[in-house]
Amino acid sequence: MNKLRTVIVDDHPIVIEGLKTLLKNEDNLEIVGGFSDGTGLLSYLNTNPVDLILLDVTLPDINGMDLCQMIKERFSTITILILSNHTERSIIMQTIQNGASGYLLKNSSLDELRQCIASAVTGNICYSKEVVEIISRPTKNQLRNTPQLTRREKQILSLLAEGKTSQNIAQELFLSPLTVDTHRRNLIQKFEVKNVAELIAAAHQQQLL
């Protein structure tokens, strides 16, 4: 099996070294670099192939949320997992909206990190246990009645939660991408949210996933 070329980005060099040590014996990973700022990482990505980035939110030059979006716009095949101490729900949701494939807190276990990496590289969105609890807490504007969903909407909601695109879902369910987009807009409207990241969080809160 080809190893995932992995880069660690954190503003604390000691965290980078700690993660390198922790992950050096993983069969599926090859740690190819560590960076303490976004500029150095972007420069490296221009000339080196990378499969996986473990990214902190707090960096000295570019915040991890914006950096995540910049990477995904330029290198769409790279999988990004956020590894952070930030527990604000808004930050978690924004990083996922900006293209991250998962969010873990730095107190996560090695097993959780392993599972998230394995899940993320197959196209799923994953969270550590503690992050699931954070995004599942109802916010004031989400303490509302559970929307009534059709069987098809439930199917599409479940596939969106797996990180699949409209195109993927269309192929899987033998629908046109336009039909899937219509269902997605209806779901966002029914849950009264702004985007798919908030939709998935709201569905978790209402125990529909």
Side-chain angles (χ1 to χ4, degrees):
M1 182 179 70
N2 291 334
K3 292 194 173 192
L4 297 165
R5 291 162 299 210
T6 304
V7 169
I8 300 162
V9 188
D10 194 286
D11 61 332
H12 294 103
I14 197 165
V15 173
I16 296 173
E17 292 309 313
L19 280 168
K20 281 182 179 177
T21 303
L22 197 63
L23 298 172
K24 68 179 179 185
N25 295 321
E26 294 297 303
D27 294 336
N28 62 334
L29 302 180
E30 179 191 0
I31 310 299
V32 294
F35 298 91
S36 53
D37 60 52
T39 308
L41 170 68
L42 290 171
S43 176
Y44 180 85
L45 293 178
N46 283 328
T47 53
N48 297 275
V50 169
D51 302 306
L52 173 68
I53 299 174
L54 302 179
L55 178 64
D56 192 7
V57 170
T58 305
L59 297 172
D61 53 350
I62 310 166
N63 79 63
M65 291 182 290
D66 292 341
L67 183 57
C68 182
Q69 188 169 29
M70 291 164 71
I71 295 166
K72 292 302 284 189
E73 283 171 358
R74 288 162 61 179
F75 311 97
S76 61
T77 59
I78 295 177
T79 300
I80 302 171
L81 282 181
I82 304 296
L83 200 55
S84 175
N85 283 326
H86 285 282
T87 58
E88 294 91 334
R89 187 176 179 282
S90 58
I91 290 177
I92 297 168
M93 291 294 95
Q94 191 60 56
T95 57
I96 301 300
Q97 185 64 21
N98 287 4
S101 293
Y103 198 108
L104 299 96
L105 297 185
K106 285 184 179 175
N107 62 2
S108 302
S109 67
L110 178 56
D111 269 347
E112 272 191 305
L113 181 54
R114 275 192 195 119
Q115 287 164 13
C116 248
I117 289 171
S119 181
V121 295
T122 61
N124 294 324
I125 293 175
C126 58
Y127 304 104
S128 61
K129 185 169 176 284
E130 205 169 329
V131 172
V132 170
E133 288 169 9
I134 292 166
I135 64 174
S136 297
R137 289 179 203 139
T139 55
K140 283 177 189 171
N141 66 343
Q142 279 165 325
L143 288 167
R144 59 169 75 92
N145 294 331
T146 303
Q148 294 301 305
L149 304 182
T150 65
R151 184 179 62 83
R152 183 65 87 195
E153 284 171 343
K154 286 175 185 172
Q155 274 182 315
I156 289 171
L157 178 61
S158 176
L159 292 168
L160 286 170
E162 290 174 19
K164 293 187 174 168
T165 63
S166 292
Q167 194 73 39
N168 297 146
I169 295 169
Q171 287 168 353
E172 193 164 325
L173 300 180
F174 305 104
L175 299 169
S176 77
L178 188 63
T179 301
V180 175
D181 280 337
T182 302
H183 282 302
R184 185 163 69 169
R185 278 197 301 274
N186 288 344
L187 283 164
I188 285 170
Q189 196 172 7
K190 281 188 177 184
F191 280 89
E192 298 175 35
V193 292
K194 297 190 193 81
N195 52 50
V196 171
E198 288 187 9
L199 170 66
I200 292 164
H204 271 297
Q205 286 163 0
Q206 300 189 27
Q207 299 181 331
L208 294 171
L209 290 171

